[in-house]
Every structure is written in structure tokens, then in C-alpha cells.
Amino acid sequence: MGEPKHALLSKDGDITIGGLFSIRSIEVLPSFDFIQKPQLLSCSSVNLRDFRMAQIMIFAIEEINRSEQLLPNVSIGYKIYDSCGSRMSSMSATMALMNGQEFAAGDTCNRQSPIHAIIGETESSATVILSRTTGPFTIPVISHSATCECLSNRKDYPSFFRTIASDYHQSRALAYIVKYFGWSWVGAVNSDNDYGNNGMAIFLKTAQEEGICVEYSVKFYRTEPEKLQRVVDTMKRSTTKVVIAFLSRVEMVNLLEQLSIQNITRLQVIGVEAWTTAKSLITPNSFHVLGGSLGFATRKINIEGFSDYVIKAFWDSVFPCSQGEGNSSQVKLNCSRYQDILVLKNYSEDVPEQRYASNVYKAVYAVAHSLHSLFKCKEPEGCKKGLTIQPQQVVEALKKVNFTVKFGDHVWFDNTGATVAQYEVVNWQQNSDGSIQFKPVGYYDASLPPDQRFVVNTENIIWAGGQLEKPRSVCSESCPPGTRKAAQKGRPVCCYDCIPCAEGEISNETDSNNCKQCPGEYWSNAEKNKCVLKAVEFLSFTEVMSIMLVFFSLFGVGLTVLVTILFYSKKDTPIVKANNSELSFLLLFSLILCFLCSLTFIGRPTEWSCMLRHTAFGITFVLCISCVLGKTIVVIMAFKATFPGSNFMKWFGPAQQRLSVLAFTLIQVIICVIWLTISPPFPRKNLEYYKEKIILECSLGSTTGFSAVLGYIGLLAVLCFILAFLARKLPDNFNEAKFITFSMLIFCAVWITFIPSYVSSPGKFTVAVEIFAILASSFGLLFCIFAPKCYMILFKPEQNTKQHMMGKIPQS
């Protein structure tokens, strides 16, 4: 067997508590040449923080031993081992704690553990080894700084406790702080051990839930320089400005060194309690890299009397090389083991900054309170003597401890063996003298309600590079209202393009995933961030096109009135009296109505205007065509009446002519009444033709009714055309039939071309086409029938005689 590993600091007692701390950080392996017994592992480079943990453990034990209330007649001893920050040394120290010093070949185990509880380890990976080794023997392990969530598994670690919170809370808090500052694009680097891997896994899961994208997630271990170099190269190439560093202190020292060498600065580093407040990271060049860093840290608590203790009492009464002789339970000490520690004898400036000291203090008191209940200690009787306490009894008692230490903290263990999560948020800042301080700028307390757990005072924060303005770290800038996010293929969801919303769609929020369709009568504004009422389109009187149509309509009325006045003034002349002057005046009156009915098509459609425009159009045009038809029949009858013995005019005299006009018109009136009764025209908002505007139009109500009105007008027009065409060559100097033929030809041509134009014209142009057809056909009738007569009246008065009209004036 090899030489047993000796405790660095020890003291006998009725109950013994073991301690494992990385008091030194560099391990030197002996030569394994297999020709002599292997020497003990040697360690160097004192780790001040863990040395203080060993001191506070002893301080708490001595305080308890002096107490008259907690364990009045029971003394607590201790054995503190240096694990050197090495898994090998940690395992060796664990075995030494469990077996004791005196164990020779051939001896058998007495199944009695020489210790009742172990305080330690510092790092999670070493604590995992410690807990797995002691677990089968149910020896309680209470860690002051092992935060790996993996240790919360009570099935694998049933006897593990800790006076610090699990990384489950810290990892989630990291995601919350990133979310709080609006960073959606971060990098992540972690230690390749239990602490870093488990913590980073929880962070990545929470970040995904919170919509945070991770550009890269890389890891390395302290003994892997090649991986470290790849990590630094990745950080150098990345575009993110924020890095989550879930690293142990040693890995952070290695990373900081490489970042300083390659001058990689202005990264906003977010750290964890393992390194955020580590004094060992403060070097002349470290602030260029870590200046402005934010991170979580355990609360800084001042333990009364500890500062004085580490200066004098510890060295006078505890430290082995300060005593004259070692006590009888110790092997002979070699003071050369302590030379590097003696350098710290008069140094205490770091004591107020120690953040884990209170956790060790609470761990020792937790063991003491469990022993208090096991020994059934009461005042003033004290504790019962003669009781044998087993480590597994201590485990059960620890589950029930509930007490308050002298600095006010309440101590109890939850069902995972951990305490409540309480962190300070600290910021790396530089004082005016150049010194670096870890300034508290907020806190995270998992015991508070969810909306009160996380508080940060951003006004007190100095950001990376000494900036006063918070850095931005996004893969893609926010999409403004009026656009939507479109994911970039093959990249995280935080990387997207901003696509403008389509016509008729809006987004009124920043970073909208989808555009919303505007309701039926609404349309998107130019910025696509608001639905506004669609523009309503109809042929209004204020438009240029409407003004032109009104002008021509009134011009037609005026022209018809002038013709009427001219005819009335010449009503006794043969050309006016020909073909029944009453029909001529009635035709002129109907033309005035035709011109005027076009005005009903202009303006905002209403229920009454929709009914009026179509019925007025149908009736006035039938009246007009009826008059023309009557005149055509008169021409034919007049010619037939010239034959000997003919009495045609007796059957189609003035009375019959008036009656025919009335009868033809009455039929259209009846059609219109039936149409209006069954399904009248009505104003309608047409939302289908244009998406961006509403066409306010008159719906026909009944297409059959409108077709009947147009069909009846067409029937009369065709009949009139046929009769006039047949009578066009009758012998007369002024045969009106040929002018009626031409007018009906124009009339039919206009209305035949109207149909496809009406169907294909959009919106208000449909109405304009109908008005144009009304005006064109009206002007066609006016000019073709009355222009020749007006010409003769005004410019050829000598031909306005009965003889000329009958063709009886001899040719000269």
C-alpha cells in the first residue's frame, strides 16, 4: 500500500467533520517507474479563496465548541484535506477521510466511518466524484459552491446537500437577463465538465423558450489548449456582441489569457458565480477584455469576528507550524508543507470580498444543528452521552434542519438538498485610481414572486468598452410595423428578413410574424401599419369627366330647346307641319327628357336615384322612339294615301298617332312598375372588382327587368329602322324616312356597342359609358331628324313651300 494522505489541518473531537478544499491549484505528479513505492502527490500555488474556506470552517467549528446552547458538552473535530483542484487528489483525499490514517495490510473494515459529514468540494465535477464515492456509505456531503444541477438527482446523490442554489436557477436567470436587455443573438462558451455542460444545457433550453438565438455554443477543458484555441477563433469570427461564459474559474483564467493575447475586446461578457467575482482574474490586461462584464454572484456577507480570526487566532492556535508541538493524534508534521501558506499570515484584505465563506459557515452550522437534534441536547442538561451517531443519521437530520444564523440568513434544505437561489448581479467597473471593483447593480431572488425575482438598475451599469450605452446584439434588426418576419433558410429563427405586407394587409406591431388581412371595407394605408376605410368611388359631380358629361347634357337640352323655339315660330310652315307637327314637338320634348335623364346617373347612388335613373331612361327613350316610329308610319301612310281610292290616313290620323305613342310608352311603364315591384335597383358596395377601393354602384336588382327594358327599346328601334328603311325611296323632295333610317342606324349602333363597353368598363366608367350612350343616341336623333329641317328653315326658306315639298315645282 502507498503512503496514507495526511490532513492539511486537523483536530480531534467527539464528532469529526471532514473538509475538502482546493487550497492549492497546481498538482505535480510523481514518477511512476514501478521500482519504488509511489510518492504522495505534491501541490503548489496557493488558492487564497479556498484557503479562506478552510479557515471559516475551523472558525465556525470553534464558535460552536464554545457555544453553551448548540452542543454544550460535545466537541467537534475536523480533518481538512487539500484536493489540489485535481480529481486524482480529490479521490485520494476522499479515501483518506473515509478510512482514517491507521489502516495496515490485513486489517478489516469495522464499518464505522471516522467522520460524520464532509464539507466540500469547491467544484461540481470534484463534488460528483466525492458524492458518488461516499454515497454507498451514506456519508453526508455538504458543498458550499458545487452548483451543478446534476447533483439535484436524489436517486444518484441521496446524501448530498449544499448551501448554495442549483445552477437550474442561475442558468435560467442568465436567459432572463439576456431577454431583459433585449439581446436576441448571443454566443455561449462553457467548461467541458459537469458544471459547465449541465448549466449550459439548461441555459440553451431556457433561451430557446425565451426566443433567444445562440450563434455558437462551444466548450473546452482546462487541459485542452487546442480546443481553447478553436473556441477563441469562433469568438473572433462571430457577429454577436454578447457572450455567455458558463465557465469554472480555472477555464475562465485560460480563456481570458487567450483573449488578451489576441486583443479580442468589446465583448459584453455575461458570467456566472464561479468566476464573476474572482480576484485572481484581475490582471493589468484583464479589464480590456472583461471591463463592463455582468454576472451573477453569491451575496457578500460579513461574518462578525472572522477578519480578526484570520490575522491572529488562526495562526496562533490552529496552524500546525505555529505550535510548538503537534498533539498526540497527529503524525509528525513536516513544516515544509506549509511554507507557501505562511506567506498569507498577515494578509486579510480579501476577507470582506469572500462570497462563499458564509456558505461554508452555514454548512458547518447545519451539521451542528442536525447533531443537536440527534444528541437530544436540552438546556441546562446538555447533550446525552454515550450515543453512537452514524453518518446516515446525520443525513436524515439534515433534511429537517431549519434555523437562522447570526447574520440573519435562514437555512433549510429543499427536496433536492439545496437552498433557495439568491444572487447579486455585479458589474465589472474601474475606479478612478484604476482599481477594479465588482459593483452590485441588481439581484435575483427565487423566493420572491415571479414578477419580482429579477431587478436590475441599468443606470449604474458600465458596459463593455467603458460605454454608457447598452450594446445591441441581434442577428437581424427589428421589423418595423408594416412588415413581417421571414426566416432565413438554414439560420436560427432570430435571423430573418423584413418583408413588406401585401396590399390590404397590415402589421401594427414590431417584429410581427404575420400580416393581418384588413376587414372587407378597409384597406391598408401606405405604411401598411393601419387599416383605413377604403376610398368610395362613384361618378360625382365634381370630377372633370362628370363636368364634361353634364356640359354635353345641358348643351343637348339647350340645343333641343332652341330647335323647339325655332319650330314653334315656324309652326305654320310646310316643313314643320309635315309628318304631324304634334309628334315633332313631342319628340323634341322626349329628347329634352333623354338629355336630362343622363344627369340622374351622376352623383352618389341612393335608393331613389337608382330606381329613378333606370326607369327614367327606359320610359323617356321609349317615348322618343315611339314618336319616331309614329313619324315613320305617318310617312308610309301619307305615301299610300296618294293612291286613288286610298283611305289609309283615315286609319292613322292624329288621334291614332297620339294613341300609338301613348300605348307604346304605357307598355314600358308597365314593365318598369313590375321591375320596381319585384326587384328594384338598389345602391350596392362592390368590393370584388377593386381590392383597394369600394365601387358604389346601382345594382340592377333584377337583370331580367333591366333586360326587358332594354329589349323593348331595342324592339321599337329595330321596327322603326325597318319601316324607315322601306320608306327611304318614296318619291318626295323631303322624304323624312331616310333621315329616320340614318338616325335609327346611329341609335342601334350606339346601343349595340354599349353592351360590351358597359360590361368591360370598371367602376364609375360603367356609369360614364351608359351616360355617353344616352347622349350619343339623343344627339343622333336630334341631328339626323331635325338638322335638315332647321337647315331648310334657316338657310333655304324658299324651299319651305308646299309645292317644293310635294316635288311639283318644275326644274329650271
Side-chain angles (χ1 to χ4, degrees), residues 739-752:
F739 299 114
I740 293 174
T741 302
F742 192 59
S743 68
M744 285 299 101
L745 189 62
I746 293 174
F747 184 89
C748 292
V750 167
W751 287 102
I752 289 172

Side-chain angles (χ1 to χ4, degrees), residues 366-382:
V367 175
H369 276 273
S370 66
L371 293 172
H372 177 85
S373 63
L374 292 173
F375 279 113
K376 299 181 173 59
C377 301
K378 295 180 181 178
E379 292 186 34
E381 294 90 352

Side-chain angles (χ1 to χ4, degrees), residues 345-420:
K345 185 173 182 179
N346 297 316
Y347 181 75
S348 65
E349 292 180 9
D350 65 300
V351 173
E353 297 297 325
Q354 294 297 332
R355 293 175 181 268
Y356 293 100
S358 60
N359 291 349
V360 176
Y361 185 88
K362 288 185 283 188
V364 174
Y365 265 85
V367 175
H369 276 273
S370 66
L371 293 172
H372 177 85
S373 63
L374 292 173
F375 279 113
K376 299 181 173 59
C377 301
K378 295 180 181 178
E379 292 186 34
E381 294 90 352
C383 303
K384 287 188 177 182
K385 288 287 189 178
L387 296 178
T388 302
I389 304 299
Q390 299 295 332
Q392 51 265 40
Q393 292 177 274
V394 179
V395 170
E396 294 303 318
L398 281 170
K399 295 177 181 178
K400 302 173 184 177
V401 296
N402 195 325
F403 62 95
T404 302
V405 292
K406 65 181 181 180
F407 46 81
D409 276 16
H410 190 66
V411 180
W412 58 278
F413 298 107
D414 62 19
N415 57 2
T416 67
T419 55
V420 67

